[in-house]
Amino acid sequence: MIKKFLKLFGIFLLTFFVYNIHSLSGWQYFDLVIINNTQNPNNLTNYIALITLNTQTLIQYGEMRPDCGDIRFTDSDGNTLLNYWIEPNTCNTNNTKIWVKVPFIPGGSSKTIYLWYGNPNATSMSNVYSVFGNGLVSLYTFTECSGSILHDYVGGINLPISGLTWKDGFRQGICSLTGWTNGGLSYINANGPNLGSGSFTVIAFIYPTSPTGSTQGVVGNYYNDNTNGWVLKLQGSPGQFMLLTNQQGNWCQFAGGNLSANNWYMIAGVRVAGSLNYLYQNGVQVGSGCSGDTRNVNNNGPFAIGTSYSNTDPFNGSISFIAIYNISLSATQIQDLYNSLYVFPEPTISIIPGLIPTISVNTSTNFQFNVSIQDPISEYVNYTVYLNGSVLTTNNISVTA
């Protein structure tokens, strides 16, 4: 807390300015975003934080552009811009979803980054590829948490859902779906992402409740063994999963992994066209096969999540967050993606308005001016006091709540 006392005589105009030393030129407002990693002893690199913001109120009061185009995030220095992506159709709501890639968060500590807005001349820098990587063609974040549509925020391949239940997912703000074994469905009668004969990567977070080795579809467009298609599925020995590719009955699949019941996993299938296909569990390679695979996997659908073989072989458990790329991600990229999305214990995020008050006082009598400033965290704050337009005093003070 700062307390500053000034005793002045006569008629004057007193103005007291306080502002945080961090500044992004051209922006009027900022909030502090506190990422609390105190429960986790590990350093986090390129952590993808999910921030929920009420932009509706900020836009209503004229503090933010109606299209959220003036949103920016900076690192702790207040100047280094961070990559971010705003989920489509969530701007100007009380539930705006923003994914921010944070380069470094120390283990056992907290990290402060800054959210900036209030620049009418700014244009959006929201970019999904800067957060989740190039080659992304479909992205189901499962952040809806209600409703009858599962949105593909990149490719637009939205899936109607019926008979399924929304549940909590593998981290705050991300939900999951379950209920395929009870007849629930999430599919369209179309090809899905255009993967053809090329390289591709499919990533899914799953919570299997009975990984017995029986066939359970996770995601794909597989119709039957005589037509083109692909699917990431559970199958093989108990706890194993597969990537299956097929061109007119010439199919190939292989198994890997060691899944147990009632745990969250990130599983991935990668095709390096003309070379090898790979399986990954929690970022670690667990299988390879199908040498020289260039099978054309495009078909007329159905493209489905939670089922396979024309909406049979239902998944027993919950599914969350699916990303599909039309390139083969490297082992390092898959490991980094897992580390950036799944952290336990998960950091918590809080947003605190920036401290930028301005106080003006007019008086014609003897006056003692008592200023009390409270900052919710320890920060350095500049303040300047003006008397009739001239600087009266300035200082740097360490502020602690």
Side-chain angles (χ1 to χ4, degrees):
M1 178 184 292
I2 300 174
K3 286 187 179 290
K4 186 68 179 180
F5 300 92
L6 302 174
K7 190 169 184 179
L8 305 169
F9 301 90
I11 301 175
F12 60 88
L13 171 65
L14 178 71
T15 307
F16 187 94
F17 292 99
V18 179
Y19 52 93
N20 192 285
I21 62 167
H22 310 302
S23 62
L24 188 65
S25 179
W27 271 258
Q28 300 178 60
Y29 309 105
F30 75 92
D31 291 342
L32 292 83
V33 181
I34 312 299
I35 304 173
N36 185 338
N37 193 37
T38 55
Q39 300 305 307
N40 186 347
N42 300 313
N43 295 334
L44 307 182
T45 302
N46 290 326
Y47 179 69
I48 300 177
L50 176 57
I51 295 171
T52 301
L53 182 66
N54 182 354
T55 57
Q56 187 175 57
T57 298
L58 297 174
I59 291 170
Q60 178 183 348
Y61 284 95
E63 297 179 358
M64 180 180 289
R65 284 175 54 107
D67 62 357
C68 297
D70 52 344
I71 285 178
R72 295 292 187 274
F73 289 88
T74 60
D75 211 337
S76 298
D77 61 6
N79 293 296
T80 302
L81 291 171
L82 302 181
N83 293 325
Y84 71 96
W85 171 61
I86 304 172
E87 286 193 3
N89 303 317
T90 65
C91 175
N92 202 4
T93 71
N94 62 4
N95 194 37
T96 304
K97 302 292 185 180
I98 311 175
W99 300 79
V100 185
K101 199 166 192 176
V102 184
F104 180 77
I105 302 172
S109 185
S110 293
K111 169 86 169 186
T112 301
I113 63 174
Y114 295 90
L115 160 66
W116 301 86
Y117 50 94
N119 185 339
N121 298 317
T123 56
S124 180
M125 291 183 65
S126 170
N127 188 319
V128 66
Y129 307 106
S130 70
V131 176
F132 294 106
N134 293 325
L136 189 63
V137 291
S138 285
L139 179 63
Y140 301 89
T141 61
F142 286 72
T143 51
E144 299 93 338
C145 297
S146 65
S148 59
I149 299 291
L150 182 62
H151 294 89
D152 174 3
Y153 287 118
V154 173
I157 306 172
N158 300 329
L159 302 183
I161 59 178
S162 61
L164 298 175
T165 301
W166 286 100
K167 296 180 63 177
D168 291 339
F170 62 96
R171 58 181 282 185
Q172 289 289 326
I174 300 177
C175 293
S176 66
L177 285 170
T178 190
W180 290 278
T181 54
N182 294 323
L185 294 171
S186 48
Y187 76 99
I188 57 169
N189 284 312
N191 175 61
N194 179 18
L195 303 178
S197 301
S199 299
F200 67 87
T201 302
V202 56
I203 289 169
F205 278 83
I206 63 171
Y207 187 90
T209 57
S210 183
T212 60
S214 63
T215 303
Q216 301 178 37
V218 176
V219 58
N221 67 354
Y222 207 79
Y223 182 70
N224 63 40
D225 288 337
N226 298 315
T227 58
N228 296 7
W230 68 273
V231 64
L232 185 65
K233 60 180 178 175
L234 271 58
Q235 187 178 319
S237 299
Q240 290 191 313
F241 58 99
M242 293 183 173
L243 175 64
L244 166 61
T245 58
N246 187 2
Q247 181 176 347
Q248 297 180 345
N250 175 23
W251 53 266
C252 183
Q253 65 182 6
F254 60 98
N258 184 25
L259 308 175
S260 59
N262 303 322
N263 288 291
W264 278 107
Y265 297 96
M266 188 186 90
I267 62 172
V270 179
R271 175 165 79 174
V272 184
S275 180
L276 275 176
N277 298 350
Y278 299 91
L279 296 176
Y280 294 85
Q281 176 179 319
N282 292 349
V284 178
Q285 183 184 321
V286 292
S288 64
C290 298
S291 177
D293 183 16
T294 57
R295 294 168 177 82
N296 184 348
V297 297
N298 286 350
N299 65 15
N300 295 319
F303 174 71
I305 291 175
T307 56
S308 185
Y309 294 85
S310 188
N311 287 326
T312 61
D313 299 318
F315 183 80
N316 193 347
S318 301
I319 298 176
S320 179
F321 194 93
I322 292 175
I324 303 173
Y325 298 77
N326 63 3
I327 61 174
S328 56
L329 296 187
S330 69
T332 299
Q333 288 174 312
I334 290 176
Q335 182 70 70
D336 289 347
L337 193 57
Y338 172 71
N339 292 340
S340 67
L341 285 171
Y342 188 74
V343 174
F344 185 83
E346 179 184 355
T348 59
I349 296 176
S350 55
I351 300 176
I352 301 173
L355 179 65
I356 318 181
T358 298
I359 305 170
S360 296
V361 180
N362 286 286
T363 183
S364 57
T365 60
N366 292 352
F367 180 74
Q368 178 171 300
F369 189 71
N370 183 344
V371 179
S372 179
I373 306 167
Q374 289 186 313
D375 193 5
I377 65 170
S378 180
E379 286 289 320
Y380 277 96
V381 171
N382 288 340
Y383 71 87
T384 304
V385 180
Y386 296 84
L387 178 60
N388 293 331
S390 299
V391 175
L392 184 64
T393 182
T394 63
N395 206 348
N396 274 329
I397 295 180
S398 177
V399 183
T400 305

